[in-house]
Amino acid sequence: PMTQTSPLFPLISTEDLAALTDDPSLRILDASWHLDGRDGRAEFAVEHIPGARFFDLDGVSDGSSGLPHLLPSPAAFASALSDLGIGEEDRVVVYDSVGLFSAARVRWMLKVMGAAHVQVLDGGLPKWKSEGRPVEAGTPPPPSPARFTPDFDADAVAGLDDVRAALAEGIQVADARGPARFAGQAADDLHHAVAHGRRQADDRLIEKQQGRFGGQCADDLDHALLSAGKILDRLIGDGAQVHEIQKTARPHDALPLRLPGLAQPHDDS
């Protein structure tokens, strides 16, 4: 288990990850998932960062409601992580094959279930490969099981009633999907954006060519949100809490809202 007590920054660079490869507490997860139906597991078998294990976002979900990617129960999540050889005190780095997409969702899942040290690889597999870093092929043998003890943070999850109440109270609700899906102009198995037209989160902090986070400080995020028409002081100027509406969300997690300088109800990362 990792012994570090200070919070980790949500993102880790490819350089820093490469320097950690000999850390016995390090666990690397490939959390690739695609809107167009491509098989992330098949891609993982073709190439992945050495030592990585595949996190099946479809499989580690509660499928009983018929809605996509609802959080599983803490017990089911703990079982899945234990099978991946991950304990709650291990250092976990999550990446995906796009650069910065589904990995952020999986990081959020890990944090809300009690994992202590979780980061997303900035730029993901594309940036790793562009720098000539090694990859390997094949499906690795199952790791030795570990014990993941969940500590579910229920306050970090908003249900349907919470979203309805927020809208009724005039609280800002952000949709983190892309503009086309938000506007109903692209196919989506979730029908439309949240009622009353809450604007989508701005994606200009993501550098499209490398799929990495372009803004490295709260000022960058502040500018991007304001330029997209957000009234940021409704979120942080009056000390209001920012809630990540994720229980029924698709994988593109609102990771930038966890950066230093923004008020958070549970800013432990």
Side-chain angles (χ1 to χ4, degrees), residues 3 10 32 46 91 101 108 136 140 160 226 241 247 249 251 260 268:
T3 57
S32 299
V46 173
R91 180 167 190 169
F101 183 61
W108 179 83
E136 61 184 14
L160 180 58
L226 287 172
Q241 292 181 339
K247 188 165 185 179
D268 58 354

Side-chain angles (χ1 to χ4, degrees), residues 98-109:
V98 173
L100 187 56
F101 183 61
S102 50
R105 164 70 182 192
V106 172
R107 176 191 179 271
W108 179 83
M109 293 173 69

Side-chain angles (χ1 to χ4, degrees), residues 143-163:
S144 300
R147 181 177 179 83
F148 186 96
T149 303
D151 183 14
F152 179 56
D153 184 1
D155 290 338
V157 181
L160 180 58
D161 290 341
D162 298 312
V163 177

